[in-house]
Amino acid sequence: MKKQILFSIFILISLLQSFQSYGQQEDKVRIKAARSKGIPGYRVFYSAPGKRVILTQQSTTIYCDEARQNSKTEDVVATGNVIVVDKKTKIYGDKLDYRKTKGEVIITGRIVKLIDEDVTLTTDKLYYYTATKEAKYLTGGKVIQESMVLTSIEGYLQKKELIFIKDVVMDDSVQVQHLETEKLIYDRETKISTFNTRTTITSKDGDVVANAGTYNNGNGMVHFEGSAVVENEKYILIGDKIDTNKDTGDSKAFGNVVFFSKQDTAMIYADVVIHKDSSTFAYGDALMSKPIKGNWMDMYYLAADTLHSINDTTTQENTLYAYHNVAMWSHDMKSRCDSLVYFYNDSMIYFYDDPRIWAQKSQMTATTIRTDITSKGVERLYLNRNGFIISEDTIENFNQVKGKKIIAHFEKNELYKVDVKGNGMTRFFQLTEDKKHIYALNKSSCPSMSIYFVQDNEVENIIYNAKHNSNVLPPSKIQKPDMYLPGFKNRFDEMPPREELLERIRLRTDLPDPMPRDPVKQADQIKILWDGSQVLNKFYNGEKLFDPTRLIKKKQ
């Protein structure tokens, strides 16, 4: 992507300079020949062995075997091994027509070749206009510079702009780069190359597809528009607009952005995605989705106003920050907070600013919360300062644990043990054998304790690790204040529904290729359909990942 346009600029500049010198003609063409003769309306000039017909005009010299000049119009027709020389530029052809009134020079032949230092242009018919110093070919041409080859049906070499039209193809055999488009324009003054038709660029560093774009040779900025797609071995990036700096590698994507990381199979949706140095920012209703244990039918989602990912190449540490209105969803756990930090290397997530986590039928809150994640999922939750756990039983009572610090242990994503350290307090409802009625309410307090749970959040045992106070109330003695610990707040209604996060998915039904993408090496196992209707992999049984008709489609 980066070099093929740069090489085209060098090619086009060289061509333009070649024709500028050739176009600076005087009013009269001087002709030297071995002999000449006049015929009605014309004068014909002939060559002789070792002595060709020579036409000169300022710095331009034309060699041919025979030339015929119109006596009235001074038009010239040159034939036979025509060679045009202008300083370092040479043009070869079979025939040359110079029409003075139009200021037009036409060179034709089986092969018309222009050579300027390391640049070679071949066509079968080349037009040049002396007044405007413009040139063109209309029947196909090829430009070669070292390992770079550009072909098109039409080419217009103007004073300000250089334009290639129809079946434009650029190849670089060394850089292994390939570009295909229908129109390519280079502005000589601004040093900007522009394409405004669907263009495909493939290279060893990645592929680009876009409806329009520009490349600034002055500052190294590349701009793509119209369902732009950038793909390499590490990621796929889609946006309405994408800007990239070829020198620094920094990039920005705007409008319905979809970013897929092949390395960790994470998808990011946002209004804006910015990559700079080792950081990636996602702004505006940002959403990250990731399969759990590689199963695309079992996803977790992270939504926030801003997502900030840092991949430190020095320390090899990867960190994700989420800011403001953070919501997380998976089948086994949901959460809300205002900021979050995920340390990938240590598999730890920190929740800040009023964090709330819901797992199974439990609600967990604290000043800050930390999770430990392993290949088995979440194993521990650390509730630091003002820890509070609420667990709903089968008859909608709330078992409660409160303490300065709480560690919640999970096994197979189910809460099975809670350790309380500092100012521990509990409220637990004992149920009858049929689990339909309250048998007793256990009120206790202890600086340090461990509570063990069985199925349906029922307390199996409490171990007090210090002096404690306990009180068991029968149903007839239970008053409403006895049922709740100080600071109790039922916030289950704040649990984020899956649909809320899915509304942030950007549907890219505007992509020109309707076929599924193969974003990872296991192409037979994972195929992403960009319209969001489903994700296919080895777990797929025909069900939809989600129904896109229920989503709020982002405005284009």
Side-chain angles (χ1 to χ4, degrees), residues 357-517:
I357 294 179
W358 298 271
Q360 301 300 323
K361 292 185 178 182
S362 298
Q363 171 187 294
M364 286 155 278
T365 59
T367 301
T368 61
I369 299 177
R370 191 191 96 195
T371 67
D372 282 348
I373 302 175
T374 68
S375 59
K376 299 179 181 179
V378 176
E379 289 198 347
R380 285 173 295 277
L381 282 173
Y382 298 84
L383 283 64
N384 298 315
R385 296 178 60 188
N386 302 317
F388 210 126
I389 297 179
I390 301 172
S391 298
E392 187 177 12
D393 65 16
T394 56
I395 58 174
E396 299 182 350
N397 295 311
F398 292 104
N399 295 320
Q400 303 153 54
V401 181
K402 182 180 180 181
K404 186 176 181 181
K405 182 178 180 179
I406 297 177
I407 303 175
H409 301 264
F410 291 82
E411 191 173 83
K412 296 182 180 180
N413 293 315
E414 291 190 2
L415 181 67
Y416 80 93
K417 178 186 177 183
V418 169
D419 293 324
V420 183
K421 298 180 181 181
N423 304 327
M425 301 175 67
T426 66
R427 293 290 187 274
F428 288 109
F429 291 89
Q430 295 175 269
L431 304 182
T432 58
E433 290 186 5
D434 60 6
K435 310 298 182 184
K436 295 182 179 180
H437 303 282
I438 298 173
Y439 175 75
L441 172 62
N442 186 316
K443 300 170 58 178
S444 64
S445 62
C446 181
S448 177
M449 68 180 84
S450 297
I451 303 101
Y452 292 85
F453 294 83
V454 292
Q455 192 175 5
D456 295 325
N457 291 322
E458 185 176 349
V459 176
E460 180 183 36
N461 188 23
I462 301 177
I463 298 177
Y464 300 101
N465 302 318
K467 186 177 180 180
H468 68 280
N469 294 317
S470 296
N471 189 11
V472 178
L473 301 178
S476 61
K477 298 291 185 178
I478 298 174
Q479 302 295 319
K480 189 172 183 179
D482 298 319
M483 300 174 67
Y484 303 100
L485 288 172
F488 173 89
K489 188 175 182 180
N490 181 355
R491 306 179 72 174
F492 280 92
D493 59 347
E494 299 177 18
M495 187 186 308
R498 185 165 174 253
E499 289 73 17
E500 175 190 321
L501 280 73
L502 292 181
E503 287 177 356
R504 299 186 178 213
I505 289 179
R506 275 61 170 183
L507 304 180
R508 299 304 314 212
T509 56
D510 54 343
L511 293 181
D513 184 1
M515 299 299 292
R517 306 287 300 185

Side-chain angles (χ1 to χ4, degrees), residues 335-365:
S335 68
R336 287 191 190 274
C337 62
D338 199 59
S339 60
L340 173 152
V341 183
Y342 185 3
F343 296 97
Y344 288 97
N345 297 49
D346 299 325
S347 296
M348 293 189 300
I349 303 177
Y350 289 82
F351 301 82
Y352 300 98
D353 301 319
D354 192 23
R356 294 90 78 198
I357 294 179
W358 298 271
Q360 301 300 323
K361 292 185 178 182
S362 298
Q363 171 187 294
M364 286 155 278
T365 59

Side-chain angles (χ1 to χ4, degrees), residues 108-154:
T108 57
R110 187 176 63 86
I111 296 178
V112 177
K113 181 182 292 187
L114 180 148
I115 300 176
D116 183 80
E117 295 184 345
D118 61 342
V119 176
T120 301
L121 164 67
T122 57
T123 183
D124 59 3
K125 193 171 186 178
L126 184 66
Y127 298 80
Y128 177 71
Y129 299 91
T130 58
T132 61
K133 297 180 176 59
E134 296 177 356
K136 68 181 180 182
Y137 59 83
L138 304 175
T139 54
K142 177 189 290 186
V143 177
I144 300 175
Q145 184 189 38
E146 298 178 350
S147 61
M148 185 70 206
V149 179
L150 182 148
T151 60
S152 66
I153 302 300
E154 299 179 13

Side-chain angles (χ1 to χ4, degrees), residues 17-242:
Q17 291 173 340
S18 301
F19 283 109
Q20 283 179 326
S21 295
Y22 180 61
Q24 296 171 349
Q25 300 186 26
E26 295 177 345
D27 290 337
K28 208 165 185 65
V29 178
R30 292 182 174 84
I31 304 176
K32 292 182 180 181
R35 63 188 181 87
S36 66
K37 72 174 183 178
I39 62 175
Y42 296 92
R43 188 155 193 87
V44 183
F45 301 87
Y46 300 95
S47 62
K51 191 173 183 180
R52 307 198 69 199
V53 178
I54 301 176
L55 299 84
T56 59
Q57 189 175 48
Q58 286 193 338
S59 62
T60 302
T61 302
I62 301 173
Y63 301 89
C64 62
D65 293 336
E66 182 178 309
R68 183 176 63 177
Q69 185 178 42
N70 189 296
S71 302
K72 293 182 179 180
T73 64
E74 298 186 14
D75 292 350
V76 176
V77 176
T79 58
N81 297 316
V82 176
I83 301 175
V84 181
V85 180
D86 189 340
K87 297 182 179 178
K88 295 182 179 181
T89 301
K90 290 185 179 181
I91 304 174
Y92 299 87
D94 297 330
K95 182 180 179 181
L96 180 148
D97 287 89
Y98 171 56
R99 301 169 186 176
K100 185 177 180 181
T101 56
K102 292 184 178 181
E104 182 180 63
V105 178
I106 304 174
I107 303 171
T108 57
R110 187 176 63 86
I111 296 178
V112 177
K113 181 182 292 187
L114 180 148
I115 300 176
D116 183 80
E117 295 184 345
D118 61 342
V119 176
T120 301
L121 164 67
T122 57
T123 183
D124 59 3
K125 193 171 186 178
L126 184 66
Y127 298 80
Y128 177 71
Y129 299 91
T130 58
T132 61
K133 297 180 176 59
E134 296 177 356
K136 68 181 180 182
Y137 59 83
L138 304 175
T139 54
K142 177 189 290 186
V143 177
I144 300 175
Q145 184 189 38
E146 298 178 350
S147 61
M148 185 70 206
V149 179
L150 182 148
T151 60
S152 66
I153 302 300
E154 299 179 13
Y156 300 84
L157 291 78
Q158 303 173 358
K159 184 175 182 180
K160 181 182 178 182
E161 293 183 333
L162 306 173
I163 305 171
F164 295 96
I165 298 177
K166 295 181 182 179
D167 298 338
V168 182
V169 177
M170 288 201 304
D171 282 294
D172 191 314
S173 58
V174 173
Q175 299 297 326
V176 194
Q177 296 169 333
H178 180 82
L179 177 146
E180 294 184 11
T181 187
E182 286 299 299
K183 188 174 183 180
L184 185 66
I185 303 172
Y186 173 69
D187 189 306
R188 186 167 177 261
E189 293 181 0
T190 62
K191 297 183 180 180
I192 294 177
S193 294
T194 303
F195 58 88
N196 52 21
T197 59
R198 195 67 178 172
T199 300
T200 301
I201 303 170
T202 60
S203 73
K204 61 181 181 181
D205 297 321
D207 303 334
V208 176
V209 181
N211 289 340
T214 61
Y215 173 78
N216 190 319
N217 187 44
N219 57 23
M221 293 301 299
V222 182
H223 175 75
F224 300 108
E225 291 187 11
S227 302
V229 181
V230 177
E231 181 174 0
N232 56 38
E233 63 180 6
K234 295 182 179 180
Y235 64 82
I236 301 173
L237 177 63
I238 303 173
D240 295 339
K241 298 179 182 180
I242 299 177

